[in-house]
Structure formats: structure tokens, C-alpha cells
């Protein structure tokens, strides 16, 4: 899977894929890093993901996730308590044979408390938002 994305806490703020107001996280992945360009200091720590070319074939402008333990972690993101917002991601899945999560927010060591902005379910061939709480899941 290859990923590029941005996140904003305002509705209808994306104009030509550049948010204008309320920007809380913006990752271009330029030069192979996960620095937050919004000014909110939501910098990511890369673990296992490999820098690769983006959708325009620009080198080191995207990340490829090839293993289940590849991720970019943002500790204590400022946007975690927002109640509305916009999420934009360019994602290319190279394998559709297993469940995949893109840009999840949750407790680091819990399989019960998280929100996944994009979840690919190969059994039903669907993409959606997935919320998981102890004993409850919303798809």
C-alpha cells in the first residue's frame, strides 16, 4: 500500500487538495519524512515503511507499507478529540487479499479502541470508516 494524506478539522476546506482553514495535520512525505507541515507539530515517527515515488512519480514523496507492522506513529496528536473534519488520502493497494487499515487513531497497544479512517474489507469488497470499542464495532 502506498499513502499520501492530509487532515483538517474544518468542513469543505479543500481547494485543489490544499486545505485553507483549520489545518491540523499535513504530510507531504517530502524527502522521505513524516513531518507535519501544518504548524501543529503532529510529526510522525516512521517504523518499517519505505519511502517511494508518489502518484506523480516524484521520488521520496510517499510511503510504501509492505508488512503488517509498518506504520507511521503520531504521539498525542492535537486532532484526536475533534468532532468533525476532513480526511484526504491518495492510497494505492497492491494486494486486496487481506483486511487493511489506513490512518487509524487509537490506543497504541489495544485491539479494542480505535478509529480507522479507511478500512479495506476483502470479503465484502468495501472501503469504509471503522470504529472499534470494547464489545462494539461500527462499520
Amino acid at each position: 500500500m502506498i499513502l499520501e494524506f492530509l487532515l483538517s478539522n474544518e468542513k469543505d476546506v479543500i481547494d485543489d487538495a490544499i486545505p485553507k482553514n483549520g489545518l491540523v495535520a499535513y504530510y507531504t512525505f517530502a524527502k522521505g519524512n513524516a513531518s507535519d507541515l501544518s504548524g501543529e507539530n503532529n510529526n510522525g515517527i516512521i517504523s518499517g515503511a519505505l519511502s517511494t515515488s508518489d502518484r506523480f512519480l516524484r521520488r521520496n514523496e510517499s510511503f510504501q507499507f509492505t508488512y503488517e507492522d509498518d506504520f507511521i506513529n503520531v504521539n498525542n496528536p492535537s486532532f484526536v478529540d475533534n468532532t468533525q473534519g476532513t480526511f484526504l488520502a491518495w492510497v494505492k493497494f497492491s494486494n486486496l487479499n487481506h483486511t487493511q487499515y489506513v490512518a487509524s487513531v487509537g490506543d497504541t497497544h489495544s485491539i479494542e479502541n480505535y478509529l480507522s479512517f479507511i478500512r479495506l474489507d476483502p470479503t465484502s469488497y468495501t472501503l469504509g470508516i471503522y470504529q472499534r470499542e470494547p464489545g462494539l464495532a461500527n462499520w
Side-chain angles (χ1 to χ4, degrees), residues 51-124:
S51 184
T52 189
S53 298
D54 69 4
R55 66 189 185 279
F56 300 114
L57 303 177
R58 294 178 299 208
R59 295 179 53 143
N60 298 318
E61 298 285 325
S62 189
F63 279 99
Q64 182 172 7
F65 301 82
T66 52
Y67 299 100
E68 124 182 358
D69 59 350
D70 291 354
F71 59 90
I72 297 174
N73 186 47
V74 177
N75 290 320
N76 301 313
S78 65
F79 52 83
V80 77
D81 292 323
N82 291 353
T83 59
Q84 68 179 12
T86 301
F87 173 80
L88 171 69
W90 289 94
V91 181
K92 178 182 177 186
F93 293 99
S94 56
N95 182 337
L96 302 177
N97 295 329
H98 62 280
T99 301
Q100 298 178 60
Y101 298 87
V102 177
S104 295
V105 175
D107 295 342
T108 303
H109 299 290
S110 173
I111 60 169
E112 292 290 332
N113 292 309
Y114 64 88
L115 172 68
S116 181
F117 295 111
I118 299 175
R119 179 180 187 250
L120 170 68
D121 185 337
T123 58
S124 62

Side-chain angles (χ1 to χ4, degrees), residues 7-15 18-24 86:
L7 179 68
S8 172
N9 67 1
E10 296 285 325
K11 292 181 180 177
D12 303 319
V13 297
I14 307 224
D15 179 34
I18 305 296
K20 302 297 182 191
N21 299 308
L23 187 62
V24 294
T86 301

